Amino acid sequence: MGIRGKDRQIDNVEFNVSDIARSKAFYGSVFGWSFVDYGPTYTEFSDGRLTGGFTTGEPVRPGGPLIILYADDLEATQLRLKAAEATISREVFAFPGGRRFHFIDPDGYELAVWSAS
């Protein structure tokens, strides 16, 4: 079962970075963000209201961070996106803590949707 109250809301912002330590130092010193490390390729940040992550698991994306939405029912959300003619750019995959997929919106922006189940 997913997390109540977050269905169809922005849940996470993920930055692909080349150096996690440098990003932590930058955002920590400038904005006061706090961090929790989840291995050598991922750290979670919190600004006190929103959480996100820095990862070296994929190349740096020109154009900004990956916006990640939460869905209680990942498959139903994917079906709604396909019905709206979105392009699925990365099929459902598992990661520690859940599963997610990526899609391209009508203007070419890539977003992701994840679920804890």
Side-chain angles (χ1 to χ4, degrees):
M1 186 162 158
I3 301 167
R4 293 195 179 276
K6 291 190 175 186
D7 188 35
R8 302 189 205 184
Q9 294 180 359
I10 293 174
D11 185 62
N12 197 344
V13 177
E14 188 172 277
F15 292 84
N16 292 314
V17 299
S18 57
D19 184 328
I20 288 177
R22 181 182 68 195
S23 296
K24 287 170 60 174
F26 176 81
Y27 286 98
S29 68
V30 175
F31 297 108
W33 292 1
S34 59
F35 305 93
V36 176
D37 294 326
Y38 291 97
T41 63
Y42 196 89
T43 191
E44 179 182 77
F45 66 77
S46 174
D47 68 0
R49 185 180 64 84
L50 180 72
T51 62
F54 297 133
T55 182
T56 57
E58 296 187 32
V60 174
R61 278 188 175 82
L66 177 67
I67 304 298
I68 302 172
L69 297 99
Y70 184 84
D72 287 334
D73 187 330
L74 200 62
E75 287 73 18
T77 302
Q78 189 176 48
L79 288 173
R80 283 194 303 275
L81 282 162
K82 287 180 178 179
E85 299 184 5
T87 300
I88 304 302
S89 56
R90 189 165 178 191
E91 291 296 333
V92 174
F93 64 94
F95 66 93
R99 299 177 305 129
R100 83 179 196 200
F101 68 89
H102 295 205
F103 69 94
I104 307 295
D105 81 357
D107 290 303
Y109 290 104
E110 183 175 30
L111 293 89
V113 182
W114 86 282
S115 180
S117 58

